[in-house]
Amino acid sequence: EDQKEDLGQEVSKKRPRETPNYFVSIPITDDQILDRIEDVQELIFTKEPDLLRALLPVQTMHLTIIVAHLGTEEVVKKAVLALKQSKTKVEAILHGKDLNMTFHGIGQFNNQVIYVKMLEEDQKTLSRIAEAVEQCFNEMNLDISGSKDFKPHLTFLKLSKAPRLKRRGFRKICSDLYKEYEDSYFGTEVFSQIDLCAMRKKKQESGYYYCECSINVGSSGTEESKEQ
């Protein structure tokens, strides 16, 4: 914690904090996981219809690695380069093996953000991958000061998405709304891709964020590059 505060002070001396407008993420596309999340969302909605606006569309499901403020097109190009350069480091960590990301159980932050948890043992390698990506962005002097510590989680409900609810006194999401799934297995995603996504650009037709760049990693990534 102390270290974080120190970093915060350094950042504020150097430059004012800009609001992040991009993020680097791992997309979650496994149908089983997304279907289970939809089941939980439906259950919550049935019990508490007011929360509809606070639900996140499953097409946008991802794990955030870092957030960045990229002010100009030039800087965006640097970020694309940083992501491409991270591919070698990520591949080295994977050693040609598949990395399974297993999702199990539901967690919450302050009863305001509800998410699907990832198994602890699958997080170790992923944390190293996140560090490698972060390193590449830092080497390019990109502003990722808004990033928090990497804690892989799949957010599917956020009170902040529905500010009106707060004004009506909705401050907490009761765990009774999803207790049936609190310790459920959601599924396993094989890690295969990292995206650089824009927060504010129009989403793709699929419903997923606008991507400036994607790199394919793991065993499927190498096959694809051969084909191309």
Side-chain angles (χ1 to χ4, degrees):
E1 284 296 316
D2 290 345
Q3 190 189 353
K4 254 195 282 180
E5 278 166 26
D6 293 347
L7 285 173
Q9 281 158 4
E10 275 169 41
V11 169
S12 56
K13 265 183 234 161
K14 270 197 288 199
R15 56 181 161 207
R17 263 206 178 171
E18 299 279 6
T19 322
N21 55 351
Y22 279 84
F23 60 96
V24 176
S25 64
I26 298 164
I28 301 298
T29 55
D30 179 78
D31 284 335
Q32 185 187 356
I33 298 172
L34 300 183
D35 287 347
R36 289 303 291 251
I37 291 175
E38 277 191 326
D39 291 344
V40 183
Q41 289 183 331
E42 245 165 70
L43 177 74
I44 291 172
F45 171 66
T46 314
K47 294 183 182 181
E48 193 59 81
D50 281 347
L51 285 173
L52 180 65
R53 282 173 174 275
L55 298 173
L56 277 73
V58 292
Q59 297 85 332
T60 63
M61 288 297 135
H62 64 276
L63 300 171
T64 306
I65 296 180
I66 46 176
V67 296
H69 173 77
L70 310 175
T72 62
E73 281 305 309
E74 280 309 300
V75 181
V76 172
K77 281 184 192 144
K78 271 172 79 175
V80 166
L81 199 58
L83 182 61
K84 286 181 175 166
Q85 286 178 349
S86 72
K87 185 177 161 96
T88 327
K89 290 185 178 180
V90 173
E91 301 272 337
I93 294 169
L94 289 171
H95 286 306
K97 291 192 193 83
D98 275 340
L99 170 60
N100 289 326
M101 305 182 291
T102 304
F103 293 93
H104 190 116
I106 292 178
Q108 48 78 24
F109 298 129
N110 297 329
N111 291 313
Q112 294 183 359
V113 173
I114 313 295
Y115 60 89
V116 181
K117 295 194 275 197
M118 190 171 147
L119 281 191
E120 291 279 334
E121 54 264 33
D122 294 351
Q123 292 185 23
K124 290 191 185 76
T125 308
L126 209 53
S127 293
R128 287 176 56 209
I129 286 167
E131 270 167 35
V133 174
E134 197 171 324
Q135 200 183 345
C136 290
F137 272 68
N138 280 327
E139 282 165 9
M140 287 276 193
N141 281 323
L142 293 157
D143 177 7
I144 56 170
S145 57
S147 303
K148 299 184 174 76
D149 288 343
F150 178 63
K151 290 192 177 74
H153 62 279
L154 273 188
T155 302
F156 63 84
L157 193 157
K158 238 186 193 164
L159 265 189
S160 60
K161 254 198 98 212
R164 277 192 207 147
L165 288 179
K166 264 208 164 137
R167 291 201 287 275
R168 286 178 21 213
F170 233 113
R171 306 228 170 263
K172 290 204 159 151
I173 294 156
C174 175
S175 63
D176 287 352
L177 292 175
Y178 52 83
K179 66 170 183 294
E180 290 90 323
Y181 288 93
E182 213 156 10
D183 198 28
S184 282
Y185 170 71
F186 278 76
T188 300
E189 172 96 20
V190 180
F191 170 58
S192 64
Q193 190 177 323
I194 304 177
D195 298 327
L196 172 66
C197 298
M199 289 181 191
R200 302 198 180 97
K201 290 190 179 176
K202 192 174 184 289
K203 289 193 171 77
Q204 301 175 36
E205 272 179 25
S206 65
Y208 190 63
Y209 294 93
Y210 178 91
C211 277
E212 295 288 347
C213 168
S214 294
I215 57 167
N216 291 314
V217 284
S219 51
S220 57
T222 41
E223 281 160 35
E224 266 172 52
S225 45
K226 271 181 212 151
E227 280 166 33
Q228 286 162 12

